[in-house]
Amino acid sequence: METLPIRTGIFGGSFNPVHIGHLALANYLCEYGELDEVWMVVSPQNPFKKDQQLLNDDLRLAMVEAAVAGYPKLKACDVEFRLPRPSYMISTLRRLETDYPERRFSLVIGADNWLAFRHWKAAEEILRDFDIVVYPRPGYAIDTAALPASVRLVETPLLEVSSTFIRRALQEGKDIRYFMHPASYRLLCPSSSASIEAVGLSENTPSTENSF
C-alpha cells in the first residue's frame, strides 16, 4: 500500500520575535487548513528587508522552538541558517524536498506577499512545482477566481499582532507577555525590566520573503 506524503506547510519569516499571531495562524492551518504539519522556517536574512533590525539568529530560533514545544504538528526549522544569504524561498523549498522526500511541501504566505509574488526569485518555478496556501491580511483583497490551480486561499482568523509592535513595546519598558508564548517571552525577557537591546538587537544586522 502506497504511503501518502506528509502534507507540510512552510511558513517562513524573520520571527523577530515570534508572537501569538504567528502561532495561532500555524495552529489553525494544521487543524483546519488541510496540512499535517507546519514548519516555521526562521530566516536569517530577508532579501526584501535588508535594513531590518534583527534579534540574534540563535535567539529567534530558540524562541520558536520554545513556542512550539509540546505541539507535534508545529516545528521550528533552521534550514536557511545553512543556505547562502540572502534567503530565497526557492532555495529553501528545493533543499527541503531533497532532504525530506517523504513530504509534500506547500508554501504558506500572506495575501500581501501573494500580491507581490511575481517579484520573488523563481516565482513561476515555485508555482509550477509547489502548492501555495495564502492567508488573508487586512487591506489586501484576493480574487479567488483568478488564482492559479496550485494556489488556495484559507480564511484564517485575523490576529493583527506585529513583531515591530512587540520590539517597540519592549524598548519602552512595557510588559506585553500575553502577546507572546510564555516560554518565548521568558527567553526574550529574562526579567520583566529587560530591554530589547539586552537580548541581541543589532542596529545594522540585515534581515524570508514572507514575514509579519
Side-chain angles (χ1 to χ4, degrees):
M1 181 176 179
E2 183 179 359
T3 302
L4 295 176
I6 303 169
R7 301 168 300 176
T8 307
I10 296 303
F11 180 19
S14 300
F15 302 115
N16 189 42
V18 63
H19 54 66
I20 58 170
H22 297 130
L23 298 169
L25 170 63
N27 185 179
Y28 185 92
L29 290 173
C30 289
E31 300 299 336
Y32 295 98
E34 301 179 12
L35 295 173
D36 298 313
E37 296 181 13
V38 170
W39 290 8
M40 301 176 71
V41 178
V42 181
S43 175
Q45 182 178 342
N46 183 333
F48 294 137
K49 299 182 179 180
K50 294 184 179 180
D51 296 326
Q52 184 182 27
Q53 297 178 355
L54 284 181
L55 294 162
N56 176 274
D57 289 353
D58 291 333
L59 174 62
R60 289 185 291 117
L61 177 64
M63 286 190 291
V64 175
E65 290 174 335
V68 304
Y71 181 57
K73 296 180 181 181
L74 295 185
K75 176 182 176 179
C77 180
D78 65 353
V79 62
E80 291 190 353
F81 287 30
R82 301 184 298 277
L83 294 175
R85 302 186 187 188
S87 306
Y88 291 104
M89 185 52 70
I90 184 60
S91 301
T92 302
L93 291 168
R94 290 302 184 204
R95 171 60 65 86
L96 289 172
E97 70 172 358
T98 297
D99 292 348
Y100 301 94
E102 75 281 8
R103 295 179 177 271
R104 178 176 177 82
F105 290 103
S106 299
L107 174 61
V108 175
I109 60 174
D112 52 341
N113 276 298
W114 169 247
L115 293 178
F117 188 73
R118 65 184 182 278
H119 299 299
W120 286 32
K121 183 178 181 180
E124 292 301 321
E125 184 178 344
I126 296 174
L127 277 173
R128 183 191 69 210
D129 294 342
F130 299 92
D131 294 330
I132 299 178
V133 177
V134 179
Y135 59 89
R137 297 293 302 273
Y140 298 92
I142 299 294
D143 180 3
T144 55
L147 291 177
S150 60
V151 180
R152 62 187 176 95
L153 179 68
V154 178
E155 291 296 338
T156 60
L158 296 175
L159 288 177
E160 281 305 293
V161 181
S162 74
S163 296
T164 301
F165 162 76
I166 291 174
R167 295 195 305 272
R168 183 178 299 119
L170 290 173
Q171 288 172 325
E172 295 171 352
K174 306 296 186 183
D175 184 339
I176 42 81
R177 68 184 69 193
Y178 296 112
F179 288 85
M180 295 179 63
H181 189 285
S184 302
Y185 188 76
R186 285 193 294 270
L187 288 174
L188 185 60
C189 298
S191 68
S192 60
S193 61
S195 68
I196 199 165
E197 287 84 359
V199 290
L201 180 64
S202 166
E203 294 296 330
N204 299 309
T205 303
S207 149
T208 136
E209 282 143 320
N210 179 43
S211 64
F212 72 99

